[in-house]
Amino acid sequence: QVRVVESGGGLVQAGGSLRLSCAASGSILSINAMGWYRQAPGKQRELVASITSGGATNYADSVKGRFIISRDNAKNTVYLQMNSLKPEDTAVYYCNAQIVGLTTYNRWGQGTQVTVSS
């Protein structure tokens, strides 16, 4: 019943910006950590950024100083502000949420495509 849905992807020129959103809905007591992952063709899925319920953040070295993760606990939503985008940022971006309900489990979104042109 719990759904995790990403939005905000698209095509942007190198040096531009995009803001991704991920909203969780359904039978949710609370959400622990939320994170953004990405997967490019021929590569493994990798962690881009994560944020705890208390606001502590972690970033992949490749995006430090360019991306900012934030969340709105009242809306069960996490955001990823992506600045100074590079062609190597091109990937499908996935949201993951650690859902607390009757049990605690991870739920993935369907992904949103980000394409950065040169």
Side-chain angles (χ1 to χ4, degrees):
Q1 187 175 7
V2 172
R3 298 179 178 87
V4 176
V5 180
E6 305 98 330
S7 62
L11 175 64
V12 65
Q13 290 185 298
S17 298
L18 284 174
R19 191 189 194 201
L20 306 183
S21 298
C22 170
S25 62
S27 299
I28 300 169
L29 179 62
S30 63
I31 302 177
N32 292 332
M34 301 184 80
W36 287 97
Y37 295 73
R38 66 187 181 188
Q39 187 165 23
K43 293 187 175 181
Q44 292 187 307
R45 188 171 300 185
E46 64 174 349
L47 175 69
V48 177
S50 64
I51 184 167
T52 69
S53 60
T57 59
N58 289 99
Y59 296 92
D61 288 342
S62 60
V63 307
K64 287 180 180 177
R66 299 189 297 122
F67 292 8
I68 301 171
I69 189 170
S70 62
R71 65 188 287 169
D72 184 336
N73 291 335
K75 296 181 179 179
N76 288 331
T77 299
V78 63
Y79 306 94
L80 185 67
Q81 178 66 46
M82 304 186 294
N83 301 315
S84 301
L85 283 161
K86 304 174 181 179
E88 52 262 44
D89 294 318
T90 295
V92 177
Y93 284 70
Y94 297 91
C95 177
N96 179 269
Q98 297 177 2
I99 307 297
V100 180
L102 294 178
T103 62
T104 301
Y105 58 94
N106 283 25
R107 180 60 56 88
W108 291 92
Q110 81 290 343
T112 185
Q113 177 70 46
V114 172
T115 302
V116 184
S117 65
S118 60

